Amino acid sequence: MPITDNLHYFESQLQGTPARLVAVTKTHPLALLQEAYDAGARLFGENKVQEMVAKQPELPADVEWHLIGHLQTNKVKYIAPFVHTIQSVDSLKLLQEIEKQAAKHDRVVHCLLQFHIATEETKFGLSLPEAEEILQSEAYRAMRHIQIAGVMGVGTNTDDEPQLRREFGELRGYFTHLQTHYFAQQPTFREISMGMSADYAVAIEEGSTLIRVGSAIFGARNYQVS
Ligand SMILES: *Cc1c(COP(=O)(O)O)cnc(C)c1O
C-alpha cells in the first residue's frame, strides 16, 4: 500500500518536531482518502468548497477538514457546519462571513491568516499591515465564532533553498509579531502552516507546525476528474 507507506514515512519525518501533517486530498477519489484515514491520517486539506462538501459526509466524523484554497464569501455557508480550520483567510470581509455562518451553527471555526510570502504575484495573501488592520478592527474584536489559530503561507515554486528559507522565516516572523502584540498568553494562537511536498523539509527546519502534503503521499493529481 504506497499511501500507507508514504504516510508512515511522513510520520517518521515529523517525529521530534512540533509539526503535524495535513494530508492534501484535492482531486483524489474517496477510496484514497479512506486509505489515508485507515493509515492514521486525520487532518485532511481540500482547496475547493464543492469538493470538500462532497467528500465530508463519506468520511468518519473525526476527520479535521482544513480548507487551504482561496475562499469566496458566498461559499462559506456550505462548509460552516463542519469545517475545522480555514487556512486561507485573507480579508476582514471573509472573516465576517465566517463569523456569521459559524454563529448560525453555534460553532467556533479556526482560522489562519494567509500571508503573501512568495515572489509570484498570483499567490494570495495579506501583508503584515493588512493583517494588523484586521486584528485592530472593532468588527474582529466582537467576533465570538472564529478563533485565529495562526498563520499560513505558500512558498515560491522554486528549488532555491535559501530563498525558501527566507520566505518561511518571514512567515515565522509575522507569526511571532502577531503573537507578541495580539495573542500574548493565548496558547490557541500556535500554528504556522507552511511546507508542501517539495519544500516541507525546509519548512520544518524553519518552524512549521502544519505541513500540507499532497502529491508526495497520493501521487500526481489528475485535474480532469475534479
Ligand atoms: C495543493 C496544495 C498543497 C499540496 O501540494 P503538493 O505539492 O501536492 O504537496 C499545499 N498547499 C496548498 C495551498 C495547496 O493548494
Side-chain angles (χ1 to χ4, degrees):
M1 293 294 218
I3 289 176
T4 304
D5 292 343
N6 294 343
L7 279 166
H8 290 164
Y9 171 78
F10 275 96
E11 262 166 41
S12 70
Q13 292 292 295
L14 294 181
Q15 259 181 23
T17 82
R20 295 180 297 154
L21 171 73
V22 178
V24 175
T25 49
K26 62 192 188 199
T27 78
H28 295 298
L30 277 170
L32 297 198
L33 275 71
Q34 186 64 50
E35 192 176 334
Y37 181 90
D38 293 339
R42 290 296 178 273
L43 280 56
F44 285 71
E46 291 280 342
N47 69 335
K48 293 210 170 80
V49 164
Q50 216 179 349
E51 196 174 340
M52 183 184 273
V53 167
K55 286 170 172 174
Q56 184 268 339
E58 308 296 330
L59 270 285
D62 64 341
V63 166
E64 238 184 53
W65 292 93
H66 287 233
L67 199 281
I68 61 172
H70 186 64
L71 177 58
Q72 290 170 292
T73 50
N74 62 352
K75 294 195 173 160
V76 174
K77 57 179 176 283
Y78 301 115
I79 57 173
F82 67 86
V83 70
H84 182 277
T85 300
I86 296 174
Q87 294 205 3
S88 42
V89 172
D90 59 359
S91 71
L92 178 60
K93 184 169 154 255
L94 177 58
L95 209 54
Q96 286 175 298
E97 181 65 14
I98 298 168
E99 164 69 22
K100 181 178 150 193
Q101 296 299 332
K104 284 187 187 166
H105 299 278
D106 199 20
R107 300 185 67 232
V108 173
V109 171
H110 291 218
C111 295
L112 303 186
L113 296 176
Q114 180 170 359
F115 282 89
H116 187 271
I117 55 170
T119 53
E120 293 116 320
E121 280 299 324
T122 51
K123 291 185 176 162
F124 293 100
L126 298 160
S127 64
L128 186 58
E130 289 169 339
E132 295 201 81
E133 201 179 313
I134 292 174
L135 296 174
Q136 289 169 7
S137 69
E138 293 287 334
Y140 164 69
R141 286 157 186 261
M143 293 180 189
R144 297 291 174 267
H145 300 89
I146 59 116
Q147 182 180 102
I148 297 197
V151 301
M152 181 271 221
V154 180
T156 298
N157 184 9
T158 177
D159 49 20
D160 181 345
E161 194 181 307
Q163 183 180 345
L164 288 167
R165 214 171 273 291
R166 272 197 306 278
E167 293 176 0
F168 293 148
E170 187 185 329
L171 185 61
R172 191 187 58 234
Y174 296 150
F175 172 83
T176 305
H177 179 88
L178 297 182
Q179 185 179 46
T180 305
H181 294 277
Y182 300 92
F183 298 96
Q185 321 295 336
Q186 293 183 45
T188 49
F189 186 80
R190 61 186 189 132
E191 305 292 4
I192 307 176
S193 174
M194 58 187 185
M196 309 177 18
S197 293
D199 56 19
Y200 72 88
V202 181
I204 290 170
E205 286 172 12
E206 293 301 319
S208 175
T209 68
L210 287 172
I211 58 169
R212 310 178 305 268
V213 180
S215 45
I217 296 170
F218 299 101
R221 285 181 283 273
N222 179 356
Y223 280 99
Q224 272 153 3
V225 301
S226 71

